[in-house]
Amino acid sequence: MGLTSVLFGGKLRIALAALLLVGGGVAGAFAMGVLGVPSVQGVDNRFAGVNETATVIESEVNVANPNPLSANLSGVSVDYTVSMNGLEMVNGEKDGVAIGSGETAIPLQTTLSNDRIPAWWVSHVQNGEHSTLRVDADVSSETLGRTFEAPEISRDIDTDLLSSFNSTETRKVNADSAVVSDPVLYINETSAEWGEATEDRTALELTFVVHNPKPYPVAVSELGYNISMNDVDVGEGATESGYVIPAESTKTIEATTYIENENLDDWWVTHLERNQTTDLRIDFYAKLDAAGTTFTVPLDPLTYEKTFETDIFGTKAESDASTSADSSSAPDSSGESTTTQSGETTTEQRDATTTESDSTTETTTASPTPTPTPTPTPTPTPTPSPTPTTTESGGTTTDDGLL
């Protein structure tokens, strides 16, 4: 009896829906509750290619239709936006979509202009190396006269590029010059923090505690630097003012270095080509005046290296790293590309389960480790200890349109 009732009820519902579809139309069937309301289940995303100017993002908006018969809705459109720290990165739309019974994955392709990356970078640094990714999607039906919104989708993206520069490890500076014996200086401490981030450049404020073991002053007339990310030069220059370190004394040297933001779109290409992985490197040199001689010294012991990763859409762990976005899958005239599968995490899912994908993962590549530093000749002023110690710190688009 129960089965008969179910079958009869189902047939009656289908028959009633059919009559309403003929008589009152689909909108009337939904309005009377005979047909269920479709819903947006979520959005899956993946990077699908990158070239010098643009990044392709392929998405699938998953729509569920709970009705037993096909509600082939006409006039369905999809609108989709990705923003980071409130900055709209991509926006796309698609019209003329048909939604059948069950679940339908609506494909959508949007294009991110790489020149949006510097603005995002500035917001990321200003926000303490933190970004909030937000995905907004909705499906509108002209027939039903209503819009079905997707669940809120957001992710936290965090990096930590500078903390490992903070160190109390003593490192010696050798001049390799016949006019002065080595070591000519000791670097007893280093630290770094982000300075002002403007539209044009991002400042890094560096501090060095330097000890002069010589019985005469040593002047640092220039401190130069080169900053690269995945071998892309993003900043280089030299300090404008010099420092004099008195004989057998310790002095703190402060220097401001800069990342030129106009170079960051070139870095972004390499970041995606390497499956969202970047090697940061900062090299230093100094011009010293000592014993009546001026010479340039590469500060190899101060070379700073850091590897960091991002997982923008939160599913990189599910992707095959060997098929990550590269130049071979860059956008072309046909708009087709090949890449790995990605997806999104809804607010409900993130509240229920916390995984490592909710933030970036990072590894630090240690700078070259100097050989144990012998104790400098005892002096009345503080000198580095024989055994160094280290403190670790840890435009709207269409399917093939352009932002």
Side-chain angles (χ1 to χ4, degrees):
M1 181 66 179
L3 179 61
T4 302
S5 178
V6 170
L7 291 175
F8 179 76
K11 291 179 180 179
L12 180 60
R13 186 182 178 195
I14 293 173
L16 182 57
L19 289 174
L20 285 170
L21 287 172
V22 172
V26 175
F30 277 101
M32 295 184 65
V34 176
L35 294 181
V37 179
S39 62
V40 181
Q41 300 297 299
V43 184
D44 296 328
N45 301 278
R46 63 178 180 265
F47 290 114
V50 62
N51 62 21
E52 293 181 356
T53 60
T55 302
V56 171
I57 299 173
E58 288 184 348
S59 309
E60 286 186 348
V61 180
N62 301 305
V63 180
N65 178 10
N67 300 291
L69 73 164
S70 177
N72 194 7
L73 304 178
S74 60
V76 172
S77 63
V78 181
D79 186 77
Y80 168 85
T81 302
V82 176
S83 62
M84 297 178 72
N85 287 342
L87 299 173
E88 184 176 294
M89 305 301 287
V90 293
N91 176 267
E93 60 182 20
K94 188 171 187 175
D95 300 318
V97 178
I99 301 176
S101 179
E103 190 164 315
T104 302
I106 303 174
L108 184 66
Q109 185 180 93
T110 49
T111 303
L112 163 67
S113 178
N114 294 346
D115 61 14
R116 298 290 295 154
I117 297 302
W120 161 72
W121 168 270
V122 171
S123 74
H124 185 70
V125 172
Q126 290 177 336
N127 210 26
E129 290 193 56
H130 173 81
S131 291
T132 299
L133 174 95
R134 181 181 173 91
V135 179
D136 294 295
D138 56 60
V139 178
S140 301
S141 171
E142 187 177 286
T143 302
L144 299 179
R146 62 187 302 170
T147 298
F148 317 109
E149 296 182 354
E152 180 180 327
I153 300 170
S154 64
R155 286 184 47 75
D156 293 326
I157 302 169
D158 295 284
T159 58
D160 181 13
L161 304 186
L162 301 182
S163 65
S164 296
F165 192 81
N166 302 330
S167 173
T168 56
E169 175 187 357
T170 297
R171 284 154 283 184
K172 60 183 180 180
V173 177
N174 293 328
D176 293 325
S177 172
V179 300
V180 62
S181 60
D182 288 327
V184 64
L185 292 173
Y186 288 94
I187 309 295
N188 287 347
E189 188 176 339
T190 59
S191 61
E193 62 181 14
W194 292 109
E196 183 182 14
T198 67
E199 180 181 352
D200 299 322
R201 62 185 187 175
T202 307
L204 287 80
E205 306 291 350
L206 308 179
T207 301
F208 306 90
V209 177
V210 184
H211 176 73
N212 174 17
K214 302 302 184 184
Y216 47 79
V218 174
V220 182
S221 58
E222 182 176 296
L223 181 64
Y225 65 92
N226 178 270
I227 307 172
S228 64
M229 298 168 72
N230 288 342
D231 296 325
V232 176
D233 290 333
V234 295
E236 61 180 347
T239 58
E240 297 179 357
S241 59
Y243 290 82
V244 176
I245 309 169
E248 301 175 341
S249 298
T250 301
K251 191 177 185 67
T252 298
I253 296 177
E254 297 179 343
T256 302
T257 61
Y258 295 96
I259 291 176
E260 301 299 333
N261 297 343
E262 65 181 1
N263 298 325
L264 291 174
D265 53 349
D266 293 332
W267 156 72
W268 172 256
V269 175
T270 69
H271 187 65
L272 293 190
E273 288 176 339
R274 299 186 60 194
N275 199 27
Q276 298 189 60
T277 301
T278 289
D279 292 329
L280 169 69
R281 181 184 176 101
I282 308 178
D283 294 295
F284 299 94
Y285 72 86
K287 284 188 176 180
L288 305 181
D289 298 320
T293 304
T294 300
F295 42 87
T296 300
V297 178
L299 301 178
D300 294 337
L302 293 183
T303 297
Y304 181 66
E305 295 179 303
K306 177 83 170 183
T307 297
F308 69 94
E309 299 181 33
T310 60
D311 189 0
I312 302 295
F313 294 124
T315 55
K316 192 171 74 166
E318 302 171 9
S319 302
D320 183 357
S322 65
T323 58
S324 60
D326 56 28
S327 57
S328 63
S329 60
D332 57 20
S333 58
S334 66
E336 298 181 354
S337 54
T338 302
T339 188
T340 58
Q341 181 68 32
S342 295
E344 291 290 349
T345 304
T346 65
T347 300
E348 292 86 348
Q349 292 171 328
R350 294 181 65 251
D351 290 343
T353 305
T354 301
T355 65
E356 291 183 359
S357 65
D358 284 339
S359 61
T360 61
T361 56
E362 302 186 10
T363 57
T364 304
T365 304
S367 300
T369 302
T371 55
T373 305
T375 306
T377 303
T379 65
T381 56
T383 59
S385 57
T387 305
T389 58
T390 303
T391 300
E392 296 192 11
S393 305
T396 302
T397 66
T398 59
D399 288 350
D400 55 355
L402 185 64
L403 180 67

